[in-house]
Amino acid sequence: MAPIPPKRDLCTLFDLVPAELWRLVEDGRRFKRERGFPHTDKPLAGKTLAMVFEKASTRTRVSFEVAAFELGGHALNLTSQGSQLARGEPVRDTARVLSGYCHGIMVRTFGQDRVEEMAAHARVPVINGLSDKFHPCQILADLMTAADRFGVKEPAAMRGLKVAWIGDGNNVAHSWIAASALLGMEIALACPAGHLPAEDVLARARALAHGGRVTVTADPAEAARGAAVVNTDVWASMGQEDEAEARARVFAPYQVNEALVRLARPDAVVLHCLPAHRGEEITDAVMEGPRSAVWEQAENRLHVQKAVLAWLMGAPHA
Ligand code: CP
Ligand code: NVA
């Protein structure tokens, strides 16, 4: 009998090899096609996902809960305020206790170290539902959206797509850098000084031998020119609310508007992980315009979340 493999976690996309990343995208597409037909296999039957939220969420919360339900399982919601976390119970203790009740843990928190501490001490798979550093599940949905829009069948075809990231070199940008490197894509980031992607993330991406190219510029036009995917996010992420005014001044030239989108490929798709601040990082006209894929992108969170849950929680692990 083959040995049972050890548990896996999804703390960052750097945890995956390219074939695993692409398989999650493909499984997400399959779950999307099959939705509406009752899933015949219920990989989460009798299993419970604990969802730990130390920050707000709409999409991540709802898509994980619906995904777990439709796969035959259950998801429970634990907020920091409603649990002992806000009163100082250590993450490592929470991880061990939840492992005794649940079959997987999704955590949305501040420091990436909290996600990794959860993973190190949990006996069940841990999924990063967003930290200050990474947002891996979001980029699975983004890749699926781009692949669908461009009719990509093989991961090799992703290599031909240039991705432009306009704005803050933040958690979502970091996960896009990881994904691009794994799939050998070209990503051009336009970020103002002081808000560049983290050096360690750039170095890790450049060290991957998959032929991806990551460039950082201060010029949004340079990044957007010829791009197949134009991507942005809020200028002040959760936890940076106090900096919002100062950031609005620095980021003003980094708006995704119709003039910028015209520099991209005529068939380019515009992505935004949402929630969006119309009139700041993206205009209403672009959000609602023909190049926008943001609603499809948001829906795809459900389908890729199923892929992640089925992969990590569907099979037994040691
Ligand atoms: N994109 C995203 O993660 O949305 P929520 O913050 O609503 O979960
Ligand atoms: N960068 C944003 C993404 C929200 C989904 C944040 O961290 O608040």
Side-chain angles (χ1 to χ4, degrees):
M1 209 169 69
I4 299 176
K7 72 141 179 157
R8 292 283 301 271
D9 304 299
L10 181 56
C11 297
T12 157
L13 294 179
F14 287 120
D15 291 344
L16 305 176
V17 297
E20 289 171 334
L21 173 61
W22 190 250
R23 203 195 95 188
L24 289 172
V25 173
E26 280 298 332
D27 285 352
R29 294 168 114 179
R30 180 174 55 78
F31 279 121
K32 186 171 190 171
R33 282 195 303 274
E34 290 173 359
R35 194 163 190 235
F37 305 96
H39 291 305
T40 46
D41 61 335
K42 299 277 183 191
L44 263 61
K47 295 188 174 180
T48 298
L49 173 74
M51 303 190 292
V52 178
F53 284 102
E54 299 198 289
K55 288 177 176 170
S57 171
T58 297
R59 280 144 287 268
T60 305
R61 156 94 205 265
V62 177
S63 57
F64 266 110
E65 185 161 342
V66 173
F69 171 73
E70 292 189 5
L71 295 181
H74 174 69
L76 63 84
N77 191 38
L78 214 60
T79 59
S80 47
Q81 288 304 326
S83 70
Q84 299 289 4
L85 279 161
R87 297 182 61 247
E89 183 163 18
V91 169
R92 60 187 59 199
D93 294 1
T94 307
R96 283 176 284 195
V97 170
L98 291 178
S99 298
Y101 305 136
C102 302
H103 305 84
I105 301 170
M106 192 287 305
V107 56
R108 166 168 289 198
T109 188
F110 292 86
Q112 178 69 9
D113 55 333
R114 285 176 79 75
V115 177
E116 282 163 18
E117 186 179 342
M118 188 77 91
H121 293 275
R123 299 189 304 279
V124 297
V126 169
I127 301 162
N128 181 356
L130 180 147
S131 69
D132 292 344
K133 191 80 176 259
F134 293 114
H135 195 2
C137 298
Q138 178 65 53
I139 279 58
L140 295 175
D142 298 6
L143 290 172
M144 178 176 158
T145 308
D148 281 353
R149 281 286 180 117
F150 292 107
V152 169
K153 294 203 169 51
E154 299 296 328
M158 295 298 279
R159 297 174 79 91
L161 303 180
K162 177 185 175 186
V163 178
W165 177 271
I166 312 294
D168 194 11
N170 65 10
N171 44 6
V172 179
H174 288 159
S175 284
W176 253 108
I177 292 168
S180 307
L182 283 163
L183 294 177
M185 300 170 76
E186 176 185 353
I187 183 165
L189 300 105
C191 311
H195 301 282
L196 309 184
E199 275 303 330
D200 65 298
V201 174
L202 291 172
R204 221 167 150 183
R206 287 175 176 143
L208 287 176
H210 305 295
R213 198 163 93 91
V214 47
T215 56
V216 183
T217 171
D219 180 7
E222 186 186 324
R225 205 163 284 124
V229 178
V230 179
N231 212 329
T232 190
D233 188 11
V234 291
W235 291 338
S237 285
M238 289 181 276
Q240 298 172 333
E241 289 79 4
D242 293 352
E243 301 170 29
E245 251 183 63
R247 282 173 167 264
R249 282 191 293 276
V250 173
F251 282 100
Y254 293 81
Q255 183 184 66
V256 173
N257 51 36
E258 286 172 303
L260 192 76
V261 173
R262 272 197 292 276
L263 300 176
R265 269 169 49 167
D267 60 349
V269 291
V270 175
L271 300 181
H272 189 310
C273 63
L274 306 178
H277 293 164
R278 288 174 166 82
E280 292 187 17
E281 76 277 1
I282 192 165
T283 59
D284 188 55
V286 171
M287 277 274 289
E288 303 295 346
R291 307 272 38 99
S292 168
V294 300
W295 314 117
E296 193 178 321
Q297 178 189 6
E299 184 197 308
N300 287 340
R301 291 293 303 277
L302 169 68
H303 310 301
V304 292
Q305 243 85 275
K306 282 185 183 168
V308 170
L309 292 177
W311 177 49
L312 293 178
M313 287 173 60
H317 63 76

